[in-house]
Amino acid sequence: NPFNPSTTIDYQLSKEGIVSLVVYDLKGSEIKTLIQEHQGATYHNIIWNGLNNNGQPVASGRYLLKMTAPGFTETITMTLLK
C-alpha cells in the first residue's frame, strides 16, 4: 500500500455513529486527525495528503491509521514514499 503524494481511504459503515480516523507515527504520536464526526451507515472515503495537523508535510515512512466506529476498531499500517 505505498503511496505518494496522497492516499484514499475507503470504508463502509454498517451503523451510523461517531467515526474517527486518526494517523499516528510508529511511536504513537498523533500526526493527523482525518475525521471525527457523526456519519451515516453508508460508503465513505477520505483522502490523506501526507500533511500533519499543522499543514506541514510528514517524512517518508510507515504510519498507523486507526479507525473507530460504532462496534468497530481497526488499525492498519500505511507507507508514505516521497
Side-chain angles (χ1 to χ4, degrees), residues 12-13 18 20 22-23 25 31 33 37 46-47 52 58 64 67 70 73-74 77 79-80:
Q12 186 169 358
L13 301 177
I18 301 295
S20 172
V22 181
V23 178
D25 64 18
I31 300 299
T33 298
E37 65 182 31
I46 191 158
I47 296 172
N52 65 18
V58 299
L64 302 173
M67 177 181 183
T73 299
E74 185 171 351
T77 302
T79 303
L80 172 62

Side-chain angles (χ1 to χ4, degrees), residues 10-76:
D10 300 310
Y11 58 98
Q12 186 169 358
L13 301 177
S14 59
K15 294 191 265 185
E16 71 174 74
I18 301 295
V19 176
S20 172
L21 281 100
V22 181
V23 178
Y24 296 91
D25 64 18
L26 293 180
K27 295 178 183 176
S29 298
E30 182 178 319
I31 300 299
K32 176 75 174 180
T33 298
L34 298 174
I35 195 161
Q36 190 164 11
E37 65 182 31
H38 186 275
Q39 292 188 325
T42 186
Y43 174 83
H44 302 272
N45 63 40
I46 191 158
I47 296 172
W48 181 40
N49 57 6
L51 301 179
N52 65 18
N53 282 329
N54 296 323
Q56 300 168 324
V58 299
S60 293
R62 293 177 61 198
Y63 293 89
L64 302 173
L65 173 69
K66 182 176 181 181
M67 177 181 183
T68 57
F72 180 83
T73 299
E74 185 171 351
T75 302
I76 63 167

